[in-house]
Amino acid sequence: MTRRNRIVWWLRGAALAALLVYLPGYLSSRSGGLVEVERRLNHPVLLIGAAVVLLVASVVVRFEFRTRWAQIGFAAVLSPLIVIGIAIGTLSFVVGGDGRLIERKPGPDHPDHVLTVTDIAFSIDPVYRVELLTGGGWSARHWSLGTWGENDGFLKAEWTGPGRITVTATHETRVYTVDGDGRPAGPEVTRR
């Protein structure tokens, strides 16, 4: 195997490693996933972007550009892609995140059950994500109770008793019951 082929396979292996690192973070972003795994590994722009860059680099290393016009043409095609990639990466780093925490309310009977309301909107119009966080440390899990946009009329989310969460919007009220282990059941929906 030539030196060039070894470099190509190392680059492709690194791209696969970036995708494999992202996979547990993506799976943990679903309801019931581990909070810390999601927080540390769910970075699609960074990890998938790195995989794409490594794959493109492996393709570039694979080709030989012997003529000057081939080199100039390749640079003309690749330069805008590099600039766009850097801009997208920088923008996602600056704007990215888990949103702005609006409320954090521990449960009345379980202080390790925490109700959170987060504004996850990219724009000025709020989009509210309501979650139940259970446990602590690396075993903490998050359970999605719903997402409401500005037009949905989200009003509040609160504990209305031991093991009972009520989410109120202008058109409906949802009531969730929480098991002792922290898993929400329901919702019971009542139209307003």
Side-chain angles (χ1 to χ4, degrees), residues 91-156:
L91 183 65
S92 71
F93 181 74
V94 170
V95 176
D98 295 333
R100 183 174 57 90
L101 184 66
I102 304 293
E103 288 183 302
R104 181 178 173 86
K105 301 174 184 177
D109 57 338
H110 286 283
D112 62 334
H113 295 174
V114 179
L115 179 64
T116 63
V117 179
T118 309
D119 181 6
I120 58 170
F122 183 71
S123 66
I124 60 172
D125 297 330
V127 175
Y128 299 105
R129 177 178 63 202
V130 180
E131 288 185 315
L132 173 65
L133 305 177
T134 60
W138 282 94
S139 64
R141 294 191 176 277
H142 64 94
W143 304 93
S144 177
L145 302 180
T147 303
W148 287 265
E150 182 182 25
N151 297 335
D152 298 327
F154 174 79
L155 298 173
K156 63 183 175 177

XYZ file of all heavy atoms in Angstrom, residues 91-156:
514
model
N -21.000 30.401 12.763
C -22.356 30.803 13.115
C -22.998 29.802 14.074
O -23.643 30.191 15.053
C -23.206 30.948 11.849
C -24.634 31.426 12.065
C -24.626 32.842 12.616
C -25.411 31.368 10.766
N -22.826 28.518 13.829
C -23.422 27.515 14.714
C -22.774 27.547 16.088
O -23.424 27.298 17.096
C -23.316 26.124 14.107
O -21.980 25.683 14.138
N -21.485 27.875 16.146
C -20.800 27.962 17.435
C -21.292 29.166 18.230
O -21.532 29.093 19.423
C -19.290 28.048 17.233
C -18.516 28.117 18.512
C -18.361 26.994 19.293
C -17.968 29.314 18.943
C -17.660 27.055 20.485
C -17.269 29.392 20.121
C -17.109 28.258 20.888
N -21.473 30.305 17.549
C -21.902 31.530 18.220
C -23.370 31.447 18.629
O -23.745 31.799 19.750
C -21.665 32.759 17.305
C -22.322 33.998 17.866
C -20.177 32.978 17.113
N -24.234 30.968 17.736
C -25.672 30.967 17.978
C -26.127 29.693 18.665
O -27.128 29.689 19.369
C -26.437 31.166 16.652
C -27.930 31.084 16.855
C -26.066 32.488 16.039
N -25.397 28.610 18.491
C -25.828 27.312 18.986
C -25.975 27.256 20.487
O -25.700 28.193 21.212
N -26.450 26.147 20.964
C -26.656 25.975 22.385
C -27.973 25.292 22.644
O -28.686 24.901 21.736
N -28.282 25.189 23.911
C -29.487 24.486 24.309
C -30.673 25.415 24.492
O -31.722 24.999 24.931
C -29.231 23.734 25.607
C -28.204 22.643 25.431
O -28.080 22.129 24.314
O -27.527 22.306 26.419
N -30.507 26.674 24.185
C -31.592 27.625 24.362
C -31.433 28.399 25.661
O -30.483 28.243 26.409
N -32.434 29.229 25.929
C -32.411 30.088 27.116
C -33.395 29.520 28.132
O -34.589 29.406 27.867
C -32.802 31.505 26.711
C -32.758 32.522 27.819
C -33.024 33.920 27.281
N -34.288 34.050 26.592
C -35.438 34.395 27.172
N -35.467 34.654 28.457
N -36.544 34.503 26.466
N -32.874 29.157 29.306
C -33.705 28.582 30.362
C -34.646 29.656 30.903
O -34.214 30.726 31.326
C -32.825 28.031 31.482
C -33.546 27.311 32.605
C -34.192 26.037 32.080
C -32.570 26.978 33.718
N -35.956 29.378 30.877
C -36.965 30.310 31.367
C -37.318 29.990 32.823
O -37.336 30.864 33.675
C -38.252 30.256 30.504
C -37.931 30.517 29.039
C -39.308 31.210 31.022
C -37.460 31.907 28.730
N -37.613 28.716 33.094
C -37.996 28.295 34.442
C -37.378 26.943 34.759
O -37.208 26.106 33.878
C -39.515 28.152 34.560
C -40.269 29.448 34.578
C -41.754 29.220 34.769
O -42.343 28.509 33.935
O -42.293 29.744 35.759
N -37.099 26.756 36.039
C -36.570 25.482 36.542
C -37.226 25.246 37.898
O -36.965 25.993 38.843
C -35.060 25.563 36.660
C -34.399 24.313 37.145
C -32.882 24.502 37.183
N -32.237 23.374 37.797
C -31.873 22.268 37.182
N -32.089 22.165 35.879
N -31.308 21.274 37.820
N -38.091 24.217 37.978
C -38.866 23.979 39.190
C -38.667 22.544 39.668
O -39.071 21.604 38.986
C -40.349 24.195 38.917
C -40.699 25.583 38.433
C -42.163 25.653 38.059
C -42.505 27.001 37.484
N -43.899 27.075 37.044
N -38.048 22.342 40.846
C -37.928 20.984 41.396
C -39.290 20.457 41.836
O -40.177 21.227 42.212
C -37.000 21.146 42.598
C -36.552 22.557 42.605
C -37.362 23.334 41.632
N -39.438 19.137 41.777
C -40.697 18.510 42.174
C -40.936 18.636 43.666
O -39.997 18.638 44.455
N -42.202 18.702 44.083
C -42.505 18.871 45.507
C -42.134 17.655 46.360
O -41.776 17.807 47.518
C -44.015 19.123 45.532
C -44.525 18.603 44.237
C -43.395 18.691 43.262
N -42.207 16.458 45.783
C -41.900 15.259 46.563
C -40.567 14.625 46.170
O -40.051 13.795 46.901
C -43.033 14.240 46.435
C -43.316 13.869 44.992
O -42.958 14.656 44.102
O -43.900 12.795 44.758
N -40.019 14.989 45.022
C -38.730 14.475 44.549
C -37.883 15.651 44.071
O -38.098 16.151 42.964
C -38.912 13.498 43.371
C -39.437 12.167 43.749
N -38.650 11.208 44.326
C -40.676 11.624 43.629
C -39.380 10.129 44.544
N -40.616 10.363 44.130
N -36.910 16.104 44.846
C -36.089 17.221 44.377
C -35.211 16.864 43.174
O -34.707 17.752 42.501
C -35.240 17.592 45.594
C -35.364 16.472 46.546
C -36.583 15.697 46.197
N -35.058 15.572 42.891
C -34.270 15.168 41.727
C -35.120 15.088 40.461
O -34.626 14.750 39.399
C -33.562 13.829 41.973
C -34.537 12.689 42.217
O -35.667 12.962 42.672
O -34.161 11.531 41.959
N -36.411 15.424 40.546
C -37.286 15.559 39.383
C -37.485 17.059 39.164
O -38.089 17.727 39.999
C -38.636 14.889 39.607
C -38.536 13.406 39.770
N -39.629 12.642 40.091
C -37.508 12.538 39.652
C -39.263 11.371 40.167
N -37.979 11.287 39.907
N -36.971 17.559 38.046
C -36.985 19.000 37.801
C -37.725 19.292 36.506
O -37.424 18.717 35.459
C -35.542 19.559 37.728
C -35.558 21.043 37.444
C -34.788 19.267 39.013
N -38.692 20.209 36.578
C -39.452 20.660 35.419
C -38.756 21.888 34.853
O -38.473 22.833 35.582
C -40.885 21.000 35.845
C -41.833 21.516 34.777
C -42.062 20.451 33.719
C -43.145 21.933 35.421
N -38.444 21.855 33.552
C -37.768 23.003 32.936
C -38.574 23.503 31.744
O -39.200 22.724 31.030
C -36.352 22.647 32.444
O -36.432 21.650 31.424
C -35.473 22.157 33.576
N -38.528 24.816 31.557
C -39.100 25.466 30.384
C -37.972 26.244 29.739
O -37.333 27.077 30.381
C -40.260 26.411 30.752
C -40.811 27.092 29.510
C -41.360 25.658 31.485
N -37.699 25.952 28.462
C -36.584 26.564 27.753
C -37.083 27.188 26.463
O -37.879 26.582 25.752
C -35.518 25.485 27.421
O -35.194 24.770 28.602
C -34.267 26.107 26.860
N -36.594 28.389 26.171
C -36.890 29.041 24.894
C -35.813 28.592 23.913
O -34.652 28.972 24.045
C -36.889 30.559 25.050
C -37.203 31.292 23.764
O -37.542 30.631 22.757
O -37.108 32.529 23.751
N -36.184 27.776 22.927
C -35.214 27.207 21.983
C -35.275 27.877 20.619
O -34.711 27.367 19.652
C -35.429 25.686 21.831
C -36.849 25.371 21.357
C -35.112 24.975 23.121
C -37.062 23.928 20.958
N -35.934 29.032 20.544
C -36.122 29.708 19.256
C -34.813 30.264 18.729
O -33.979 30.752 19.478
C -37.136 30.836 19.394
N -34.662 30.185 17.420
C -33.519 30.778 16.742
C -33.783 32.252 16.460
O -32.882 33.044 16.331
C -33.240 30.018 15.438
C -32.042 30.512 14.694
C -30.774 30.294 15.176
C -32.178 31.209 13.502
C -29.663 30.748 14.498
C -31.082 31.673 12.814
C -29.813 31.434 13.316
N -35.083 32.611 16.416
C -35.474 33.989 16.112
C -36.019 34.647 17.378
O -35.945 34.092 18.468
C -36.533 34.000 15.010
O -37.708 33.392 15.486
N -36.633 35.829 17.221
C -37.169 36.528 18.380
C -38.519 35.978 18.827
O -38.930 36.213 19.949
C -37.281 38.046 18.107
C -38.197 38.317 16.924
C -35.928 38.665 17.918
C -38.512 39.775 16.709
N -39.216 35.252 17.972
C -40.484 34.636 18.360
C -40.187 33.408 19.213
O -39.470 32.503 18.773
C -41.283 34.223 17.130
C -41.672 35.409 16.261
O -41.852 36.502 16.832
O -41.767 35.244 15.035
N -40.726 33.344 20.418
C -40.352 32.247 21.319
C -40.910 30.894 20.893
O -42.002 30.802 20.339
C -40.946 32.682 22.663
C -42.055 33.599 22.309
C -41.665 34.274 21.031
N -40.132 29.860 21.148
C -40.560 28.470 21.002
C -40.179 27.798 22.321
O -39.001 27.732 22.678
C -39.869 27.766 19.821
C -40.254 26.301 19.780
C -40.212 28.455 18.512
N -41.178 27.341 23.053
C -40.962 26.814 24.392
C -40.887 25.293 24.367
O -41.776 24.634 23.851
C -42.087 27.251 25.334
C -42.170 28.747 25.481
C -43.174 29.463 24.849
C -41.242 29.430 26.235
C -43.256 30.840 24.980
C -41.305 30.809 26.367
C -42.319 31.504 25.733
O -42.388 32.862 25.850
N -39.818 24.764 24.965
C -39.672 23.318 25.127
C -39.809 23.028 26.618
O -39.100 23.606 27.440
C -38.306 22.846 24.629
C -38.091 21.349 24.839
C -36.765 20.891 24.315
N -35.696 21.551 25.045
C -34.469 21.698 24.576
N -34.153 21.261 23.392
N -33.552 22.295 25.303
N -40.740 22.130 26.945
C -40.971 21.744 28.336
C -40.442 20.331 28.507
O -40.793 19.425 27.741
C -42.477 21.817 28.683
C -42.706 21.405 30.123
C -43.015 23.214 28.432
N -39.574 20.159 29.526
C -38.965 18.852 29.778
C -38.980 18.543 31.270
O -39.003 19.454 32.099
C -37.513 18.819 29.306
C -37.325 18.788 27.823
C -35.865 18.627 27.441
O -34.996 19.311 28.018
O -35.597 17.808 26.560
N -38.927 17.261 31.558
C -38.761 16.781 32.912
C -37.381 16.149 32.992
O -37.063 15.238 32.222
C -39.840 15.755 33.263
C -39.688 15.051 34.604
C -39.819 16.051 35.747
C -40.715 13.951 34.743
N -36.536 16.654 33.888
C -35.204 16.095 34.109
C -35.266 15.234 35.355
O -35.757 15.680 36.400
C -34.168 17.200 34.284
C -34.072 18.233 33.173
C -33.043 19.293 33.529
C -33.700 17.563 31.870
N -34.766 13.998 35.258
C -34.789 13.087 36.394
C -33.392 12.552 36.654
O -32.621 12.326 35.726
C -35.747 11.913 36.146
O -35.319 11.195 34.989
C -37.165 12.394 35.949
N -33.092 12.353 37.923
C -31.797 11.812 38.300
C -30.739 12.902 38.350
O -31.017 14.093 38.311
N -29.494 12.461 38.441
C -28.385 13.396 38.514
C -27.132 12.800 37.921
O -27.018 11.585 37.722
N -26.175 13.655 37.615
C -24.899 13.213 37.061
C -25.059 12.560 35.698
O -25.881 12.968 34.886
N -24.257 11.528 35.458
C -24.270 10.851 34.157
C -25.524 10.021 33.928
O -25.835 9.657 32.803
C -23.040 9.966 34.011
C -21.842 10.776 33.677
C -20.933 11.285 34.544
C -21.440 11.203 32.380
N -19.983 12.007 33.863
C -20.266 11.973 32.532
C -21.952 11.026 31.106
C -19.608 12.543 31.458
C -21.285 11.588 30.034
C -20.122 12.346 30.225
N -26.282 9.714 34.992
C -27.496 8.918 34.803
C -28.744 9.788 34.642
O -29.852 9.269 34.517
C -27.687 7.962 35.980
O -27.889 8.695 37.176
N -28.592 11.117 34.652
C -29.740 12.017 34.486
C -30.351 11.833 33.098
O -29.648 11.733 32.104
C -29.310 13.466 34.695
N -31.674 11.814 33.069
C -32.403 11.667 31.808
C -33.343 12.853 31.626
O -33.732 13.499 32.590
C -33.213 10.372 31.797
C -32.357 9.141 31.812
C -33.191 7.901 31.538
N -32.374 6.717 31.456
C -31.716 6.318 30.370
N -31.806 7.005 29.267
N -30.980 5.231 30.376
N -33.683 13.121 30.366
C -34.657 14.176 30.089
C -35.827 13.567 29.331
O -35.653 12.724 28.462
C -34.019 15.331 29.289
C -33.546 14.932 27.936
N -34.311 15.083 26.818
C -32.390 14.362 27.528
C -33.638 14.636 25.761
N -32.469 14.184 26.169
N -37.020 14.017 29.708
C -38.252 13.520 29.109
C -38.987 14.707 28.506
O -39.304 15.665 29.201
C -39.124 12.836 30.162
C -38.412 11.733 30.864
C -37.719 11.815 32.031
C -38.290 10.386 30.432
N -37.182 10.598 32.348
C -37.518 9.698 31.388
C -38.755 9.681 29.316
C -37.210 8.354 31.262
C -38.453 8.339 29.211
C -37.686 7.689 30.174
N -39.252 14.650 27.226
C -39.930 15.742 26.539
C -41.420 15.716 26.838
O -42.080 14.687 26.696
C -39.706 15.634 25.029
O -40.417 16.641 24.361
N -41.946 16.864 27.264
C -43.383 17.000 27.504
C -44.052 17.783 26.395
O -45.274 17.888 26.362
C -43.627 17.674 28.856
C -43.037 16.960 30.070
C -43.352 17.725 31.345
C -43.518 15.532 30.161
N -43.255 18.360 25.492
C -43.826 19.055 24.350
C -43.086 20.324 24.010
O -42.270 20.830 24.782
N -43.386 20.825 22.817
C -42.816 22.073 22.318
C -43.962 22.920 21.784
O -44.791 22.428 21.016
C -41.789 21.792 21.208
O -40.784 20.910 21.722
C -41.132 23.061 20.738
N -43.975 24.177 22.187
C -45.041 25.083 21.789
C -44.435 26.324 21.155
O -43.557 26.963 21.737
C -45.867 25.511 22.995
C -46.747 24.429 23.516
C -48.049 24.221 23.206
C -46.401 23.397 24.443
N -48.527 23.110 23.877
C -47.535 22.592 24.637
C -45.226 23.049 25.120
C -47.544 21.493 25.480
C -45.237 21.948 25.953
C -46.377 21.185 26.122
N -44.920 26.671 19.975
C -44.520 27.902 19.305
C -45.362 29.067 19.790
O -46.278 28.906 20.616
N -45.070 30.248 19.265
C -45.796 31.442 19.686
C -47.288 31.326 19.358
O -48.144 31.735 20.141
C -45.202 32.670 19.007
C -45.862 33.956 19.423
C -45.303 35.155 18.707
O -44.765 35.001 17.598
O -45.424 36.244 19.261
N -47.620 30.734 18.223
C -49.020 30.609 17.812
C -49.794 29.569 18.620
O -51.013 29.532 18.573
C -49.111 30.267 16.326
C -48.540 31.376 15.464
O -48.496 32.526 15.863
N -48.091 31.015 14.283
N -49.084 28.700 19.341
C -49.740 27.664 20.134
C -50.259 28.197 21.461
O -51.021 27.526 22.142
C -48.780 26.497 20.389
C -48.341 25.840 19.096
O -49.152 25.797 18.148
O -47.188 25.378 19.033
N -49.819 29.384 21.857
C -50.338 30.031 23.060
C -49.892 29.412 24.363
O -50.684 29.286 25.301
N -48.629 29.020 24.477
C -48.107 28.461 25.726
C -48.238 29.494 26.841
O -47.860 30.652 26.685
C -46.644 28.049 25.547
C -46.003 27.590 26.817
C -46.229 26.315 27.291
C -45.178 28.439 27.543
C -45.640 25.892 28.471
C -44.591 28.022 28.714
C -44.820 26.746 29.183
N -48.766 29.067 27.995
C -48.912 29.963 29.133
C -47.989 29.602 30.280
O -47.243 30.444 30.778
C -50.370 29.971 29.621
C -51.408 30.465 28.599
C -52.819 30.274 29.139
C -51.143 31.913 28.262
N -48.049 28.330 30.749
C -47.213 27.951 31.884
C -47.111 26.435 32.006
O -47.931 25.695 31.471
C -47.755 28.538 33.183
C -49.132 28.032 33.560
C -49.635 28.709 34.813
C -51.076 28.267 35.089
N -51.597 28.835 36.310
